[in-house]
Structures are given as C-alpha cells and as structure tokens.
Amino acid sequence: MKIKLFIIFLFTWQTVCPQLLQNVAEDYFRTNPFKTSFSQFLNSLISDPALKEKTISKKTDSTLFHLQGVYSSYSPFFFPSTHCKIVLAEREEYIDSLRTYPYFIYQLIGYAPPGEEGLKSIKQEFEKLNRKFKKGFAVSDLKDLTKGDEQSGAIINYTYDGMVFYPLTIAWLSTKEHKENIVALSIRFFMQDNKAYLPISTDSP
C-alpha cells in the first residue's frame, strides 16, 4: 500500500517549499538549501569557513552523495553545546524493484555536555522544538527509543495529511551513563532543476 501511495504521490506533488520549512532552514541551519540554486547551496556549505573536519563522498554508480562536518563555534540551540555536526546525505526511496526516487536529508546534530545535566538539556530542547513545530503539521508520529527498561531517546516525524514523506524530524539520544547527549533536527527535500523542493499535499499551509 505504501508503495502505491508513493507512486501516486510522485505524480501529484507540488514543487514548493512551505513557509514553515523555510523558517526551519533559515533559523537553524547556517546554509539554507531553499534560498538559492542547489549548486550554490552546496558550494556555500562546502566553503563555509566555520565548518571543520569536512568529509565528502561524491556520487558514483555505486554510492550516493554524503557530506558531513563539524561546527565548533556555531549552535542555534538553547543549551550550551560542545559542538554541532552537519550532515547532507542523498537517499533513495524504492518505488519497486527497478525504480528508485532520490531525495536529500539535511541534518543538524547538537552535542550537549555529558552527564545528567546534558541529558536534561537535550530533553528540554526536544520539547521546545516539538512545541514549536507540531502546530504547523497535521500529523506527528512519536517513537520512544529504549535500551532495556530505560528510555534512551525519542523521535518525532512530522508530515501532512495524505503524505508518506516526512519533511521534518526531531530526535534526542543519550548513550550509556549519558556520556554522549545529542539532539538532532532533520529536514528532507527533493532536488529538481537545480533547486531544493519539498513535495507537499494540497492541504498543507
């Protein structure tokens, strides 16, 4: 059923980006994929002097594009992060055994200090993000992450009615003994004619 919905969806999409996603990209990411052409966005991201420890894997016949780097002096989050990581990765959605449809996931990960205080910080940030974003989407899907009997994180995917694509996701995760505490913000988009777009249903704002 999901595959059929996705195929229908591909033929009825609107190549637009709703204001909410533009605001998220503008407020949280140093480089906004929706403001310029995709090639300009990519060049700006790669050449950003604040982005360190860059690794880039170009697209080949057997691999998809992947870029990641670290911001040591930039964070849009309220808690005192030790650093932030940025990831831009190409993914493929399988329509059937022969066809795929590519899209990009653009992710910002904030790292809080280890320990209970860092855990508290990312949980609070997660709740703030959810309060901010949930009003703009018709559907939000919460999934708790557990390790044994203890909660180790949570993920919320946001979308619109009748849409099988998740344009926005937030998450928090804490490792054993809270040695690493992170909160992640992810947006997903398609690239068409050298522009980043979000396919949306007609009832989205």
Side-chain angles (χ1 to χ4, degrees):
M1 186 64 179
K2 181 178 178 181
I3 290 176
K4 290 181 180 179
L5 285 173
F6 191 79
I7 293 172
I8 294 171
F9 178 65
L10 292 180
F11 289 101
T12 58
W13 74 339
Q14 299 178 33
T15 51
V16 297
C17 178
Q19 189 61 46
L20 175 60
L21 264 294
Q22 293 206 40
N23 291 344
V24 172
E26 186 68 23
D27 294 343
Y28 289 91
F29 293 82
R30 272 179 60 89
T31 309
N32 184 343
F34 304 113
K35 290 183 70 173
T36 63
S37 68
F38 185 80
S39 57
Q40 288 176 314
F41 154 69
L42 191 57
N43 288 335
S44 296
L45 181 61
I46 293 173
S47 61
D48 186 350
L51 189 62
K52 310 297 183 182
E53 302 176 35
K54 291 188 288 281
T55 59
I56 303 172
S57 298
K58 295 183 178 181
K59 186 173 183 176
T60 67
D61 291 339
S62 58
T63 61
L64 298 175
F65 178 86
H66 186 277
L67 177 151
Q68 71 176 43
V70 174
Y71 296 122
S72 58
S73 58
Y74 167 77
S75 173
F77 302 115
F78 287 100
F79 64 87
S81 61
T82 59
H83 64 283
C84 287
K85 179 183 288 186
I86 195 79
V87 176
L88 177 66
E90 190 177 14
R91 295 286 184 265
E92 287 185 339
E93 176 76 30
Y94 281 87
I95 298 173
D96 53 36
S97 60
L98 298 176
R99 295 179 296 170
T100 61
Y101 205 90
Y103 66 93
F104 286 88
I105 180 168
Y106 192 30
Q107 187 174 62
L108 182 69
I109 307 166
Y111 289 76
E116 292 289 342
E117 194 62 32
L119 175 63
K120 180 180 177 182
S121 293
I122 61 169
K123 285 184 175 181
Q124 290 177 340
E125 186 75 26
F126 181 82
E127 292 302 324
K128 288 177 183 176
L129 292 172
N130 184 41
R131 287 195 298 269
K132 184 174 182 179
F133 299 146
K134 67 180 180 181
K135 297 177 182 178
F137 291 92
V139 181
S140 59
D141 177 30
L142 170 65
K143 180 181 179 181
D144 289 328
L145 304 176
T146 58
K147 195 169 185 179
D149 297 329
E150 184 178 349
Q151 185 180 14
S152 58
I155 299 173
I156 301 180
N157 291 306
Y158 302 93
T159 190
Y160 301 108
D161 285 331
M163 185 176 183
V164 296
F165 188 85
Y166 292 122
L168 179 64
T169 297
I170 62 172
W172 71 266
L173 179 67
S174 183
T175 60
K176 187 177 180 181
E177 298 179 353
H178 314 310
K179 292 181 179 178
E180 192 169 72
N181 301 301
I182 67 168
V183 63
L185 175 64
S186 306
I187 58 177
R188 297 172 182 84
F189 59 85
F190 294 89
M191 194 269 287
Q192 180 178 324
D193 298 327
N194 200 28
K195 289 283 290 184
Y197 291 107
L198 176 69
I200 61 171
S201 58
T202 55
D203 62 350
S204 61

